[in-house]
Amino acid sequence: MLIRRLQDQESINALDNTIIREILNPKHESHPLVLNYSLAHATLKPKEKSLPHKFFEASEVYYILKGKGVMHIDDESAEVSPGDTIYIPPQTIQWIENTDSEDLEFLCVVDPAWQPNAEELV
């Protein structure tokens, strides 16, 4: 049985300026996982924005846990809040901004699983 506790996962500063805690990634595991996707928890501090970036081949899904913000995908923008799910197609320029006075927290699902060379800043 594999159980991951968020507080036990290392925080890293991601390429896009968010704070990421990778929860599951079959490409980075010693425990065998039969998954095609990766799962991470992201945090963006109040009034901050992630940097515009895109995935070459992967699609991504954000699930908003806490806070409020505005999601930008190519030329579209929409307000997001807890309980919202956002689909981000491959090859689209994306970024999210925290418009709240508290942290914006969200889950990130990347399929196929995230790898360091799978995305670029734009």
Side-chain angles (χ1 to χ4, degrees), residues 18-43:
T18 55
I19 300 167
I20 297 288
R21 290 183 182 181
E22 190 169 67
I23 300 168
L24 295 173
N25 188 329
K27 299 187 183 299
H28 302 149
E29 298 289 336
S30 57
H31 190 283
L33 296 178
V34 183
L35 299 174
N36 292 323
Y37 61 87
S38 59
L39 174 65
H41 178 276
T43 303

Side-chain angles (χ1 to χ4, degrees), residues 82-121:
D84 290 347
T85 302
I86 304 111
Y87 169 70
I88 306 160
Q91 291 290 320
T92 56
I93 297 171
Q94 59 159 304
W95 57 285
I96 191 166
E97 60 183 303
N98 183 345
T99 58
D100 208 353
S101 59
E102 65 178 350
D103 287 352
L104 178 64
E105 295 183 17
F106 51 100
L107 295 177
C108 308
V109 178
V110 179
D111 184 20
W114 181 86
Q115 299 178 70
N117 61 352
E119 64 180 316
E120 71 175 356
L121 293 177

Side-chain angles (χ1 to χ4, degrees), residues 20-72:
I20 297 288
R21 290 183 182 181
E22 190 169 67
I23 300 168
L24 295 173
N25 188 329
K27 299 187 183 299
H28 302 149
E29 298 289 336
S30 57
H31 190 283
L33 296 178
V34 183
L35 299 174
N36 292 323
Y37 61 87
S38 59
L39 174 65
H41 178 276
T43 303
L44 190 59
K45 295 294 181 191
K47 307 301 180 190
E48 290 191 3
K49 301 174 183 178
S50 68
L51 299 174
H53 62 287
K54 70 177 179 177
F55 282 93
F56 300 114
E57 297 177 13
S59 61
E60 188 168 24
V61 172
Y62 285 178
Y63 179 78
I64 308 299
L65 298 168
K66 177 182 167 187
K68 294 180 183 175
V70 176
M71 184 72 212
H72 304 270

